[in-house]
Amino acid sequence: MAEKKKFQAIKGTRDLLPPETELWDRVEQTARKVFGTFGFGEIRPPMIERTRLFERAVGSDTDIVSKEMFNWVDDPDLSGAMTKIRDEMRKTETLPAVDGTAAHAMLEKQARLGAFNNLAERVRVALRPEATASVCRAYIEHEMHALPQPVKLWYTGPMFRRERPQKGRYRQFYQIGAEVLEMVPPNQDPTKNIGKDAAVDAEVIEMVMAFFARLGLESVKLEINSIGDRDCRPKYVELLRAELLKVKEKLGPDSQRRIETNPLRVLDSKLESEQGIIAGLPRIVDHLCTNCAAQYAEVKRQLGMRGVPYAENWRLVRGLDYYMRTTFEITALGLGSQNAVCGGGRYDGLVELLGGQPTKGIGFAIGEDRLILSLQEAGKGGTPQSRDIFVAWMGERAQAAAILAAQKLRAAGFRVELPPVEQKFGRALGQADKLGARYALILGDDEIATGQWTVKTLADGSQAKMSEAQFLEMVARSKTLSS
Ligand code: AMP
């Protein structure tokens, strides 16, 4: 007989199960409440988008886009045709171009492949690795610049990155994020309004911190930095590159490569042997242009006014291309090396890059999986799965009464377990206990005959007789006390 193979969740993905999902729900409800008090509305963008959106927004050179995206050509005919042409080309390439005809045929195939590749680019789609690009796309598509500005949106949902899975790092993970987008009115110099931008940055950071405080997240640390703008950052990057070239031999292969591709990322390095060298590198804070320096100083002043404690970290550069000026990262208890629970920053210009009007933007993304891990680590895992009331019944008439009672109790918002078949009361009470019920409502012939229900409080084992109305009043009172 063939061995039965068990299906398992794909590596890097997992099932979220009760009772843990109650904590997930609490976290998302809290986000909704807290963000709502800051004037944010929820956006639910799709999980698939054109691959080009992420290439353009996040950057083709980032790990997220170049290595980790789940993407495919969303046209089976085209996909098949491309494979065929590629195979043919491979065959042709191995033949010497002995005469003009063969060479011509090859050129033609190459041209066809080029055309196909272009077409394929247009129909290539990806599972979203992050949501800021989608929110900006939606802002443009729905002409949100015509709404009162700024537009404040928050989201929650799964993101997908083909990363090496480990604790706190998954291939399908969840983010809770928010974005503030504001079109720059025509003729307004986008570099002006530095004080206003700084206040928006500080309020967004204040909001995340308020959310974490509401959840009781522990050991929360906020780090901030400014990474300059299109004016001062390129000059700093060149300076950094020149300094890194002087110490190239002492750096590891990753950092050596990054000197060419993205010198800022060298500052991210966790390699022990590189720490001393990095400490001596020029710092961007000392090379900010006047506007960026003024904005950074104002963000710090604003955070102070709002009572938000922070530390400056000049090495905080963030991995995505679109950030400018304010960047920040938040860490929390118990997350080991993957301890960043939130990352964010300002991204003026991203909407324009995606084809919209000049627009300012600031946002963040919280890793919900890590947030949950940290809450669990701190013993804030929350409510175990429980029932308020277990309805134990015996006999046909009792079942009818039990169904009615369960309907009323559920309508009043109680969690009710109603066994589908009758059970001896001893067994039923054992099950009620296992489920963590607070009360067992016992309905047998006696109770039906007298209209007096038997109610057992499971915590102390006490038992009492009461009418339906008295019972409803009692449970309602105990619910108010516990909530
Ligand atoms: P990023 O979009 O890379 O700025 O990430 C924002 C936050 O999402 C990080 O601080 C993490 O908390 C979380 N995050 C990013 N990648 C993953 C992943 N593969 N698994 C779990 N959480 C992640």
Side-chain angles (χ1 to χ4, degrees):
M1 213 171 76
E3 197 191 326
K4 272 199 216 151
K5 187 146 168 49
K6 279 195 220 138
F7 287 106
Q8 286 186 328
I10 292 168
K11 195 169 151 209
T13 73
R14 64 208 176 114
D15 300 303
L16 303 171
L17 305 170
E20 197 184 291
T21 37
E22 291 191 22
L23 178 57
W24 284 75
D25 188 46
R26 179 158 73 83
V27 163
E28 286 157 22
Q29 293 304 332
T30 308
R32 184 182 307 279
K33 272 194 211 132
V34 175
F35 298 171
T37 63
F38 283 78
F40 283 70
E42 187 187 1
I43 178 169
R44 296 190 188 199
M47 275 177 245
I48 52 174
E49 297 269 7
R50 293 261 169 264
T51 304
R52 284 202 300 192
L53 174 69
F54 301 115
E55 287 172 346
R56 181 84 58 87
V58 182
S60 307
D61 294 337
T62 57
D63 285 356
I64 294 177
V65 168
S66 65
K67 297 191 208 142
E68 297 167 1
M69 225 160 33
F70 290 94
N71 74 118
W72 64 95
V73 176
D74 190 36
D75 182 327
D77 298 338
L78 191 61
S79 194
M82 276 184 66
T83 316
K84 223 188 246 163
I85 290 190
R86 235 183 242 136
D87 287 349
E88 268 180 51
M89 269 193 66
R90 260 188 219 120
K91 273 187 240 149
T92 330
E93 270 165 11
T94 54
L95 294 174
V98 280
D99 59 26
T101 333
H104 183 77
M106 195 170 121
L107 280 175
E108 197 169 290
K109 273 178 191 149
Q110 263 168 353
R112 270 166 66 199
L113 183 67
F116 264 114
N117 278 337
N118 279 341
L119 202 57
E121 279 319 301
R122 265 185 271 146
V123 291
R124 194 180 289 280
V125 296
L127 287 176
R128 64 180 182 195
E130 58 104 64
T132 302
S134 301
V135 175
C136 291
R137 195 249 326 119
Y139 178 89
I140 301 167
E141 185 171 337
H142 302 289
E143 301 187 345
M144 291 191 221
H145 64 267
L147 299 174
Q149 302 291 297
V151 173
K152 301 182 192 177
L153 298 166
W154 77 277
Y155 59 82
T156 174
M159 308 294 154
F160 304 86
R161 296 181 195 173
R162 198 184 269 122
E163 295 191 272
R164 196 169 52 80
Q166 52 180 286
K167 185 186 171 200
R169 174 173 288 176
Y170 310 97
R171 291 182 163 185
Q172 174 175 337
F173 61 100
Y174 294 77
Q175 286 187 337
I176 299 176
E179 319 287 351
V180 179
L181 294 163
E182 177 161 21
M183 190 188 75
V184 182
N187 309 324
Q188 188 193 293
D189 177 354
T191 58
K192 293 283 173 283
N193 278 328
I194 280 173
K196 184 178 163 195
D197 292 352
V200 174
D201 293 358
E203 191 181 70
V204 164
I205 295 173
E206 180 191 358
M207 181 171 88
V208 195
M209 297 300 269
F211 170 54
F212 287 163
R214 184 75 71 90
L215 289 171
L217 195 68
E218 289 185 8
S219 305
V220 178
K221 289 202 185 71
L222 163 69
E223 291 188 332
I224 60 167
N225 191 23
S226 172
I227 55 167
D229 64 6
R230 267 157 287 177
D231 183 24
C232 55
R233 190 172 39 198
K235 292 178 202 149
Y236 168 73
V237 169
E238 277 325 302
L239 176 70
L240 189 62
R241 183 174 277 134
E243 290 302 311
L244 285 169
L245 281 172
K246 291 184 199 159
V247 291
K248 186 171 177 184
E249 300 315 314
K250 296 187 196 140
L251 297 171
D254 279 346
S255 291
Q256 288 197 355
R257 190 168 34 81
R258 287 181 176 145
I259 297 179
E260 295 313 320
T261 57
N262 193 348
L264 279 178
R265 294 297 308 279
V266 177
L267 305 181
D268 261 350
S269 162
K270 304 266 185 307
L271 262 189
E272 204 47 54
S273 59
E274 294 180 346
Q275 301 309 307
I277 303 166
I278 294 173
L281 291 169
R283 303 174 173 216
I284 190 157
V285 274
D286 302 323
H287 298 272
L288 294 175
C289 61
T290 321
N291 284 335
C292 288
Q295 144 114 13
Y296 188 40
E298 183 58 15
V299 169
K300 289 187 277 184
R301 196 181 75 86
Q302 284 275 344
L303 287 174
M305 283 205 295
R306 288 157 205 268
V308 177
Y310 62 86
E312 289 179 69
N313 176 1
W314 70 277
R315 289 175 56 177
L316 185 71
V317 291
R318 314 270 308 123
L320 317 185
D321 275 2
Y322 51 59
Y323 287 115
M324 54 140 2
R325 289 192 180 158
T326 311
T327 55
F328 60 97
E329 208 160 84
I330 301 171
T331 54
L333 179 90
L335 294 173
S337 61
Q338 303 299 322
N339 65 352
V341 72
C342 173
R346 177 162 280 280
Y347 50 82
D348 298 356
L350 178 58
V351 168
E352 201 178 353
L353 184 73
L354 297 176
Q357 319 259 13
T359 305
K360 294 184 179 193
I362 161 114
F364 62 81
I366 295 166
E368 194 176 355
D369 307 71
R370 293 187 196 173
L371 175 56
I372 300 273
L373 270 175
S374 182
L375 287 171
Q376 287 168 331
E377 198 77 26
K380 305 255 166 70
T383 44
Q385 186 182 25
S386 63
R387 306 290 190 283
D388 297 311
I389 299 150
F390 189 99
V391 186
W393 58 274
M394 267 187 84
E396 213 172 291
R397 285 179 61 212
Q399 185 179 23
I403 288 172
L404 283 180
Q407 284 176 343
K408 274 192 203 152
L409 290 165
R410 285 174 177 150
F414 295 104
R415 303 177 186 217
V416 178
E417 190 67 27
L418 176 68
V421 289
E422 70 178 2
Q423 290 170 333
K424 294 238 165 60
F425 285 131
R427 236 187 116 213
L429 290 174
Q431 209 191 338
D433 218 23
K434 268 193 221 142
L435 290 174
R438 301 179 69 182
Y439 299 104
L441 176 59
I442 300 170
L443 298 178
D445 290 340
D446 274 3
E447 284 78 10
I448 302 305
T450 60
Q452 287 287 302
W453 291 359
T454 305
V455 176
K456 191 176 170 99
T457 307
L458 285 138
D460 59 12
S462 65
Q463 207 160 296
K465 293 256 182 201
M466 62 187 80
S467 68
E468 178 185 337
Q470 284 169 324
F471 177 65
L472 282 173
E473 200 191 302
M474 183 183 90
V475 285
R477 215 176 322 119
S478 70
K479 194 176 181 191
T480 324
L481 285 179
S482 67
S483 60

